């Protein structure tokens, strides 16, 4: 079944994508990210290559399955402090 | 300051100014003879960038306070004698000399308080989803001093205790902050 999953984007990833939140049809994190790449383009891909992916605040790999209750986040290298 | 302390770990992500005085006095207790407070403040230069005039911090707000609590738990794992800990982080636009982050720790004797305060700030920089944008004389861009985000390392028992603590605080942690994104 295809679900609408929420993608959150922060910092350089948000800037490259031009949005901080998007909903995509996807069943895995990898699906979601290929949809995001298609939509957001090469600047986004460049940031994505340096970023970690989280599902609901925990690190997750591309094979992780997701549904409409999950929140996926692109977490670029952090610079707090 | 928009949230009172809960227990002995005071964590906060806020748009309001944060000051060392309040942290330094709150960590002092009758069982602790050592109190160390660290402030990270906005300075006028960074790597390859002169004339920095302001910083703008952005966060994955909902995930910040749980991670700050995990950092406090990790410090208590390492130094069980700790008294109180503080981690406050600003978000939004900050001017030169303002504090962006305050970490503080108290303990009966000074080695643990010094070690823990250093551990708190180092672990904040490595594990918390916050991004800094710099405005300097020649432009504005994301900080070059960034690090791939790490996870907070916790023992199994500390992980369980942390989950209980987060449940206990559910609904009491600050509501998510949604500053106007900097475009």
């Amino acid at each position: 079944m295809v679900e609408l999953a929420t993608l959150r984007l922060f910092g350089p990833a948000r800037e490259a994508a031009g949005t901080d939140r998007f909903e995509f049809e996807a069943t895995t994190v990898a699906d979601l990210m290929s949809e995001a790449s298609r939509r957001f383009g090469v600047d986004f891909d460049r940031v994505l290559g340096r970023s970690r992916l989280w599902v609901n605040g925990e690190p997750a790999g591309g094979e992780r399955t997701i549904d409409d209750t999950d929140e996926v986040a692109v977490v670029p290298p952090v610079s707090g402090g | 300051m928009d949230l009172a302390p809960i227990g002995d770990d005071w964590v906060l992500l806020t748009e309001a100014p944060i000051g060392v005085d309040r942290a330094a006095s709150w960590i002092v207790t009758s069982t602790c003879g050592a109190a160390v407070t660290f402030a990270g403040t906005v300075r006028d230069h960074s790597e390859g960038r002169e004339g920095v005039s302001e910083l703008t911090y952005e966060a994955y707000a909902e995930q910040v306070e749980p991670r700050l609590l995990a950092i406090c738990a990790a410090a208590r794992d390492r130094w069980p004698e700790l008294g109180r800990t503080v981690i406050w982080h600003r978000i939004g636009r900050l001017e030169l000399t303002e504090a962006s982050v305050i970490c503080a720790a108290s303990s009966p004797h000074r080695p643990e308080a010094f070690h823990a305060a250093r551990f708190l700030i180092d672990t904040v920089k490595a594990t918390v989803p916050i991004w800094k944008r710099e405005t300097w004389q020649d432009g504005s861009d994301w900080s070059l001093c960034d690090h791939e985000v790490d996870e907070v390392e916790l023992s199994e028992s500390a992980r369980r205790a942390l989950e209980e603590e987060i449940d206990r605080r559910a609904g009491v942690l600050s509501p998510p902050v949604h500053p106007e994104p900097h475009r």
Side-chain angles (χ1 to χ4, degrees):
Chain A
M1 196 173 77
V2 173
E3 304 272 6
L4 220 49
T6 302
L7 178 66
R8 300 281 304 273
L9 300 157
F10 299 96
R14 172 186 58 69
E15 190 174 68
T19 183
D20 61 1
R21 183 187 288 265
F22 212 86
E23 292 194 340
F24 290 99
E25 283 185 359
T27 51
T28 66
V29 168
D31 284 351
L32 183 66
M33 297 328 298
S34 44
E35 278 304 309
S37 285
R38 254 198 294 281
R39 172 165 290 265
F40 298 136
V42 292
D43 286 352
F44 175 75
D45 276 347
R46 201 168 301 126
V47 179
L48 185 59
R50 307 173 58 225
S51 300
R52 294 278 179 87
L53 300 173
W54 286 1
V55 176
N56 308 326
E58 300 289 337
E63 70 292 348
R64 166 72 185 268
T65 58
I66 47 176
D67 64 28
D68 57 2
T69 64
D70 290 320
E71 180 171 277
V72 181
V74 175
V75 181
V78 295
S79 52
Chain B
M1 198 73 62
D2 48 18
L3 190 73
I6 302 169
D8 287 325
D9 299 315
W10 190 353
V11 301
L12 187 64
L13 178 72
T14 178
E15 289 181 297
I18 51 179
V20 288
D21 293 356
R22 191 156 177 206
S25 59
W26 183 74
I27 58 172
V28 176
T29 72
S30 59
T31 57
C32 290
V36 173
T37 304
F38 168 84
T41 55
V42 180
R43 64 161 187 251
D44 65 1
H45 62 280
S46 69
E47 192 184 321
R49 295 172 178 176
E50 294 302 319
V52 170
S53 56
E54 64 178 54
L55 300 180
T56 304
Y57 286 90
E58 165 176 336
Y60 186 176
E62 302 92 314
Q63 299 298 341
V64 168
E65 286 178 358
R67 282 187 175 241
L68 298 182
L69 282 176
I71 295 168
C72 296
R76 292 183 183 283
D77 246 0
R78 286 161 179 74
W79 301 283
E81 49 283 270
L82 286 180
R84 286 180 167 174
T85 66
V86 164
I87 311 177
W88 299 334
H89 205 298
R90 280 288 293 283
I91 193 174
R93 197 170 71 84
L94 276 74
E95 311 271 354
L96 293 181
T97 75
E98 282 192 276
S100 55
V101 61
I102 291 175
C103 293
S106 61
S107 57
H109 303 286
R110 69 184 181 285
E112 294 78 15
F114 272 111
H115 286 307
R118 175 71 191 255
F119 173 85
L120 294 176
I121 180 59
D122 288 351
T123 314
V124 165
K125 290 178 88 80
T127 66
V128 180
I130 297 179
W131 297 270
K132 169 164 53 190
R133 197 178 170 90
E134 299 169 345
T135 300
W136 74 101
Q137 61 192 21
D138 300 319
S140 170
D141 206 347
W142 299 100
S143 171
L144 297 171
C145 299
D146 57 9
H147 328 267
E148 211 167 283
V149 68
D150 274 338
E151 297 304 302
V152 181
E153 284 176 29
L154 279 177
S155 67
E156 203 42 51
S157 60
R159 171 77 54 192
R160 279 195 300 275
L162 172 67
E163 281 165 10
E164 282 168 22
E165 181 67 11
I166 287 174
D167 285 346
R168 197 169 70 79
R169 295 187 184 209
V172 188
L173 292 177
S174 300
V177 190
H178 289 297
E180 204 48 37
H182 190 288
R183 302 206 186 267

